[in-house]
Amino acid sequence: MKICVLGGDGYCGWATALYLSQRGHEVAIVDNFARRQWDHELGVQTLTPIRTMPERLNAWGRISGENIECLSGDICDYDFISEAMKQLSPDAVVHFAEQRSAPYSMIDRKHAVFTQVNNVAGTLNLLFALREFRPDCHLVKLGTMGEYGTPNIDIEEGYIAIEHNGRKDVLPFPKQPGSFYHLSKVHDSHNIMFACRIWGIRATDLNQGVVYGTMTDESERDEELINRFDYDEIFGTVLNRFCAQAAVGHPLTVYGKGGQTRGYLDIRDTVRCIELACLNPARPGECRVYNQFTEQFSVLELAHLVQAAGRKMNLEVEINHLPDPRVEAEEHYYNARHSKLVELGLKPHLLSESLLDSLLNIAIRYSSRIDQSLFLPRVNWRNAHNERRQKTGVQAPPPLVSAGGNRHSGD
Amino acid sequence: MKICVLGGDGYCGWATALYLSQRGHEVAIVDNFARRQWDHELGVQTLTPIRTMPERLNAWGRISGENIECLSGDICDYDFISEAMKQLSPDAVVHFAEQRSAPYSMIDRKHAVFTQVNNVAGTLNLLFALREFRPDCHLVKLGTMGEYGTPNIDIEEGYIAIEHNGRKDVLPFPKQPGSFYHLSKVHDSHNIMFACRIWGIRATDLNQGVVYGTMTDESERDEELINRFDYDEIFGTVLNRFCAQAAVGHPLTVYGKGGQTRGYLDIRDTVRCIELACLNPARPGECRVYNQFTEQFSVLELAHLVQAAGRKMNLEVEINHLPDPRVEAEEHYYNARHSKLVELGLKPHLLSESLLDSLLNIAIRYSSRIDQSLFLPRVNWRNAHNERRQKTGVQAPPPLVSAGGNRHSGD
């Protein structure tokens, strides 16, 4: 199929573009490289030395013989995205092109407003461009499991059958998102559902869990294809960050009790889920929701897994409980349905020691690039503004030294 | 109390500001006069000749002896709204300052994006300003009953107790809004709920029904205090529009079958509900939701009421069924709870012939200001763009002539 990957320079987007290309699809990337700009803003960088887009695409062409086209532009620019839809005529658009970090959205008002306006307006533009120029194209939108929050009932895939006062309906699952970023995804979900209803757009909203891992079969083929590995407090997802911490002997930073339970998946499953959604498109007017994760873990369980894997590699891994910078339940019920992608054919890569070994080895290999000052949370949900700008020339705070398991007194 | 009315130049806002001032509260209006600008954009005007804000406030001072302060500015400008919160130090902020027309938001992409960005960013700015400079102030936010859509179960006030697979929780009521405008209010509701949770903001989200009427005890005291009366397809709420149509012998424009049922309330109840919410503030961290309406009607029921009232005044009132320009159920179950404001002391003004007489008389009094070309719907939900700009000098389309009860063949 002809598949357009919006945000194809990012962590999930790059892996997806390579996978789809390898599987014989005609792939075009659209990206405005905002993700690289945010690294500069925050003074952080991916652990792995990712290449520029031209280098990436040249390497992929050389190695695979496949061509991936890239259009540079911002989907908040309607002239650009509508022209791209006309020009590329995709069968499916995979939409990763959003600001995707919860802490980034919680830095201050400007970052909160930016995240919501950027994500909501970008998605609205895309919906209008599809309606106008590519009405039969299937929208595969990346949402997040974080849209649901942590209700005290089982989480269904997008919709819930409710019986109330003797009457019944199937309604959108109630949402209780936990950051201005997660809220932006909830706003998107409502907008997409409406566009399907009024215009007959076909959409699949993938409520993705927390992604871990960096290597896929494709990116492993050459170092020039290497994917991002974010380990900082803003963009580093928890398992990747723990591995980077373990690699340099920094205590794992567990927020609060660590009972926060979420759905997780390997990036090799992310790319497969996207293909499964594309190959099995929604019907016109249908807004399908799939919960895209394979296993549930609490943060503390993940810390213990990394600790165990590290010990086998002779790494001394301490676990530190920091005051939770987020406002969230530190212990709660969590049980989320995730069977629809399995029914379509997903064979999950479950989290095993072998994956943790490989992640730890990557972290060790690039450990000279790690700035330990970036591990500690500096964005507190309770504050209306957090100082998170890069201050070049300022001494980084000393690395955290503390007995394992003790509660850290603050930062 | 010290109450700040954001959007105090608008239809509900002006009536509220006068009422609160009359009741002895210290009132300040904040407005950027965008509503008047949209009239210019669309080539429409209120049936009633409203005065400029300085004229309005001078008249109110002269007549009541009370002073209402007005700050001119846009809440999307954070410097402005945060300075206003510091300077005014309100006990309650009543937030009407949004683009509030569903058809306006459905004109085209620019109007859709404008509506969502304006409403969402404005409310985010207000939340941050309260958190920073007035954390104990009570936010009274105008939402809409349209956030719920028309589910096949009873609509509760904001939250619903759900039992699912043997477990229970009380969750936000699922939302199925019917326009990009209504969606913007759903986005706001989620943002406000989150701000209450993380920052301890006090908020009351008033899901208001469709408001009718124009006179309140205060605005009746002098013609210089007269309130808006919108009758056009974009800003005219249905009952007001029907009365204007009846006054000039234009058939009432019922969309589709007219079985669309919604909650309605008299503007005299709007102002009282706002005061009740202010006098009984939410607790810190609480996000209360009240359904603010007094009676349910279908559109066809309202048409028949206006027809009957018109006949008694010797007006020949036809009813025309036009193809529904909106995408909505034309017949459906509808039963929405609305007891919380009554419990606080609301004594509803129910829709009676006397109110309809008064509304019809106002419409007749100002009928020379009616442009009949503005009655007919020109914004179709199914289109991605609708031509709705004013074309000065272009001949208006001829008034609709059709037998009562017949389905009009198109617009």
Side-chain angles (χ1 to χ4, degrees):
Chain A
M1 325 174 59
K2 216 165 170 181
I3 304 176
C4 186
V5 181
L6 310 183
D9 187 47
Y11 171 51
C12 292
W14 177 239
T16 299
L18 290 184
Y19 179 80
L20 294 174
S21 176
Q22 178 63 39
R23 300 275 292 179
H25 302 291
E26 194 178 329
V27 176
I29 285 174
V30 168
D31 209 297
N32 68 346
F33 306 99
R35 178 67 194 82
R36 295 182 188 238
Q37 181 60 27
W38 299 327
D39 275 352
H40 293 307
E41 175 196 354
L42 300 168
V44 305
Q45 64 176 340
T46 154
L47 178 67
T48 47
I50 60 171
R51 307 302 199 265
T52 66
M53 183 54 79
E55 289 168 332
R56 285 178 148 187
L57 296 184
N58 285 335
W60 181 244
R62 195 180 66 240
I63 290 154
S64 71
E66 300 293 338
N67 182 50
I68 296 179
E69 192 180 350
C70 177
L71 295 186
S72 170
D74 188 340
I75 66 166
C76 287
D77 171 356
Y78 186 70
D79 291 342
F80 166 74
I81 187 62
S82 56
E83 196 51 50
M85 287 301 104
K86 275 190 272 190
Q87 193 185 313
L88 300 171
S89 304
D91 303 305
V93 174
V94 182
H95 176 20
F96 290 107
E98 300 204 320
Q99 194 298 97
R100 65 104 178 135
S101 159
Y104 189 88
S105 76
M106 301 301 297
I107 292 174
D108 57 17
R109 184 193 65 85
K110 285 186 184 175
H111 289 80
V113 171
F114 167 76
T115 298
Q116 293 209 351
V117 170
N118 179 70
N119 293 2
V120 169
T123 299
L124 282 176
N125 275 349
L126 178 59
L127 290 167
F128 274 88
L130 292 175
R131 165 67 182 76
E132 289 256 59
F133 303 112
R134 202 66 194 159
D136 202 47
C137 176
H138 177 209
L139 169 62
V140 178
K141 165 65 163 52
L142 272 289
T144 161
M145 287 299 295
E147 295 183 37
Y148 299 113
T150 54
N152 195 40
I153 59 172
D154 293 343
I155 294 171
E156 300 297 326
E157 301 199 58
Y159 302 89
I160 181 170
I162 297 180
E163 182 166 349
H164 182 54
N165 299 343
R167 300 183 61 87
K168 291 178 185 177
D169 203 350
V170 176
L171 296 172
F173 198 96
K175 302 293 179 76
Q176 297 181 108
S179 74
F180 287 118
Y181 152 71
H182 290 102
L183 282 154
S184 77
K185 294 281 196 183
V186 172
H187 305 342
D188 283 342
S189 295
H190 283 100
N191 284 341
I192 293 168
M193 220 170 265
F194 177 67
C196 291
R197 178 146 53 94
I198 61 166
W199 294 333
I201 301 275
R202 320 162 165 260
T204 302
D205 199 344
L206 297 171
N207 284 338
Q208 188 168 241
V210 185
V211 186
Y212 58 78
T214 184
M215 288 302 180
T216 56
D217 290 347
E218 294 70 47
S219 69
E220 267 179 336
R221 292 173 69 181
D222 192 284
E223 202 179 339
E224 288 206 78
L225 300 173
I226 201 162
N227 199 357
R228 300 190 71 92
F229 186 133
D230 299 308
Y231 66 89
D232 63 283
E233 58 125 356
I234 299 286
F235 282 100
T237 53
V238 58
L239 189 63
N240 289 1
R241 191 175 71 234
F242 282 174
C243 288
Q245 290 171 331
V248 293
H250 188 288
L252 309 188
T253 48
V254 170
Y255 298 164
K257 292 178 184 166
Q260 302 92 326
T261 300
R262 302 288 187 273
Y264 289 82
L265 77 165
D266 189 307
I267 193 164
R268 293 172 294 177
D269 290 335
T270 291
V271 301
R272 176 64 177 146
C273 288
I274 300 291
E275 192 196 21
L276 286 170
C278 291
L279 292 175
N280 300 276
R283 296 185 307 275
E286 187 187 14
C287 183
R288 286 191 312 202
V289 182
Y290 294 162
N291 292 346
Q292 179 168 312
F293 72 96
T294 59
E295 293 174 280
Q296 292 187 180
F297 297 101
S298 73
V299 170
L300 195 55
E301 283 170 340
L302 291 179
H304 286 138
L305 287 173
V306 172
Q307 191 173 48
R311 277 182 185 155
K312 290 205 183 164
M313 298 169 70
N314 294 315
L315 294 171
E316 186 57 45
V317 182
E318 288 183 18
I319 295 174
N320 242 326
H321 290 258
L322 313 188
D324 194 340
R326 306 187 178 202
V327 177
E328 60 187 355
E330 297 179 17
E331 289 174 311
H332 56 87
Y333 178 76
Y334 199 79
N335 185 39
R337 201 84 51 182
H338 55 110
S339 59
K340 291 190 181 174
L341 284 159
V342 172
E343 284 161 21
L344 290 184
L346 175 67
K347 307 238 180 311
H349 295 81
L350 298 183
L351 184 59
S352 65
E353 261 174 43
S354 64
L355 182 274
L356 280 177
D357 286 358
S358 126
L359 256 186
L360 283 166
N361 278 322
I362 293 168
I364 290 166
R365 179 165 164 206
Y366 294 106
S367 59
S368 67
R369 290 168 57 95
I370 290 178
D371 176 350
Q372 298 196 26
S373 74
L374 303 175
F375 286 143
L376 294 184
R378 288 194 276 157
V379 177
N380 190 317
W381 265 226
R382 294 162 189 85
N383 299 335
H385 52 90
N386 295 277
E387 189 46 66
R388 195 52 193 76
R389 281 176 211 279
Q390 186 190 177
K391 287 181 190 158
T392 305
V394 172
Q395 188 77 36
L400 179 69
V401 180
S402 163
N406 280 356
R407 231 184 139 84
H408 182 61
S409 60
D411 58 335
Chain B
M1 326 174 57
K2 214 163 171 180
I3 304 177
C4 185
V5 181
L6 310 183
D9 188 46
Y11 171 51
C12 292
W14 176 239
T16 300
L18 290 185
Y19 180 79
L20 294 174
S21 177
Q22 178 62 38
R23 301 273 294 176
H25 302 290
E26 193 178 330
V27 175
I29 284 174
V30 168
D31 208 296
N32 68 346
F33 305 100
R35 180 65 194 83
R36 295 182 188 238
Q37 180 61 26
W38 299 327
D39 275 351
H40 294 307
E41 175 197 354
L42 300 168
V44 305
Q45 64 177 339
T46 153
L47 179 68
T48 46
I50 60 170
R51 308 302 201 263
T52 66
M53 184 54 80
E55 290 168 334
R56 286 178 148 185
L57 296 183
N58 285 335
W60 181 244
R62 193 181 67 243
I63 290 154
S64 71
E66 300 293 337
N67 182 47
I68 296 179
E69 192 180 350
C70 177
L71 295 187
S72 171
D74 189 340
I75 67 166
C76 288
D77 170 356
Y78 186 68
D79 290 343
F80 166 74
I81 187 61
S82 58
E83 196 51 50
M85 288 301 104
K86 274 190 273 191
Q87 192 185 314
L88 300 172
S89 303
D91 302 305
V93 175
V94 181
H95 177 19
F96 290 105
E98 299 202 322
Q99 194 298 96
R100 65 104 178 135
S101 159
Y104 189 88
S105 75
M106 300 302 296
I107 291 175
D108 57 17
R109 184 193 65 85
K110 285 187 184 174
H111 288 80
V113 171
F114 166 76
T115 298
Q116 293 209 353
V117 169
N118 179 71
N119 292 3
V120 169
T123 299
L124 282 176
N125 275 348
L126 178 60
L127 290 167
F128 274 89
L130 292 175
R131 165 66 181 77
E132 289 256 59
F133 303 112
R134 201 67 194 158
D136 202 47
C137 176
H138 177 209
L139 170 61
V140 178
K141 164 66 165 49
L142 271 290
T144 160
M145 286 299 294
E147 296 183 37
Y148 299 114
T150 55
N152 195 40
I153 59 171
D154 293 342
I155 294 170
E156 300 296 325
E157 301 198 58
Y159 302 90
I160 181 170
I162 296 180
E163 182 164 350
H164 182 53
N165 300 342
R167 300 184 60 87
K168 290 179 187 178
D169 203 352
V170 176
L171 296 172
F173 198 96
K175 301 293 179 77
Q176 298 182 107
S179 75
F180 288 117
Y181 152 71
H182 289 102
L183 282 154
S184 77
K185 294 282 194 181
V186 172
H187 306 342
D188 283 341
S189 294
H190 284 99
N191 284 342
I192 293 167
M193 221 171 264
F194 177 67
C196 290
R197 178 146 54 96
I198 62 166
W199 293 334
I201 301 275
R202 320 163 166 258
T204 302
D205 199 344
L206 295 171
N207 285 337
Q208 187 168 241
V210 184
V211 186
Y212 59 77
T214 184
M215 287 302 181
T216 55
D217 290 347
E218 294 71 47
S219 70
E220 267 179 336
R221 292 172 69 180
D222 192 284
E223 201 178 339
E224 287 205 78
L225 300 174
I226 200 162
N227 199 358
R228 300 190 72 92
F229 185 134
D230 300 308
Y231 67 88
D232 62 284
E233 58 126 355
I234 300 286
F235 282 100
T237 53
V238 59
L239 189 63
N240 290 0
R241 192 176 70 235
F242 282 174
C243 288
Q245 291 172 331
V248 293
H250 189 287
L252 309 188
T253 49
V254 170
Y255 298 164
K257 293 178 184 164
Q260 302 92 324
T261 300
R262 303 287 186 271
Y264 288 82
L265 76 164
D266 189 307
I267 194 164
R268 293 172 294 177
D269 290 336
T270 291
V271 301
R272 176 65 177 145
C273 288
I274 301 291
E275 192 195 21
L276 286 169
C278 292
L279 292 174
N280 300 276
R283 296 185 308 275
E286 186 186 14
C287 183
R288 286 190 313 200
V289 182
Y290 294 162
N291 292 346
Q292 180 168 311
F293 72 97
T294 60
E295 291 174 282
Q296 292 187 181
F297 297 101
S298 74
V299 170
L300 195 56
E301 283 170 340
L302 290 178
H304 286 138
L305 287 173
V306 172
Q307 191 174 47
R311 278 182 185 152
K312 290 204 185 164
M313 298 169 71
N314 294 316
L315 295 172
E316 186 57 44
V317 182
E318 287 183 19
I319 296 174
N320 243 325
H321 290 260
L322 312 187
D324 194 339
R326 306 187 177 202
V327 177
E328 61 187 353
E330 296 179 16
E331 289 174 312
H332 56 87
Y333 178 77
Y334 199 79
N335 185 38
R337 200 84 50 182
H338 54 110
S339 58
K340 290 190 181 174
L341 284 158
V342 172
E343 283 160 22
L344 289 184
L346 176 67
K347 307 239 180 308
H349 295 80
L350 299 183
L351 183 59
S352 65
E353 261 174 44
S354 64
L355 183 272
L356 279 177
D357 287 358
S358 126
L359 255 186
L360 282 167
N361 278 323
I362 292 167
I364 291 166
R365 179 165 164 207
Y366 295 107
S367 59
S368 65
R369 290 167 58 94
I370 290 179
D371 176 350
Q372 297 197 26
S373 74
L374 302 175
F375 286 143
L376 293 183
R378 288 194 278 157
V379 177
N380 190 317
W381 265 226
R382 292 162 190 86
N383 300 336
H385 51 90
N386 296 277
E387 188 46 66
R388 196 51 193 78
R389 280 176 212 280
Q390 187 189 175
K391 288 180 188 158
T392 306
V394 172
Q395 188 74 38
L400 178 69
V401 180
S402 163
N406 279 358
R407 229 181 142 84
H408 183 59
S409 61
D411 57 334

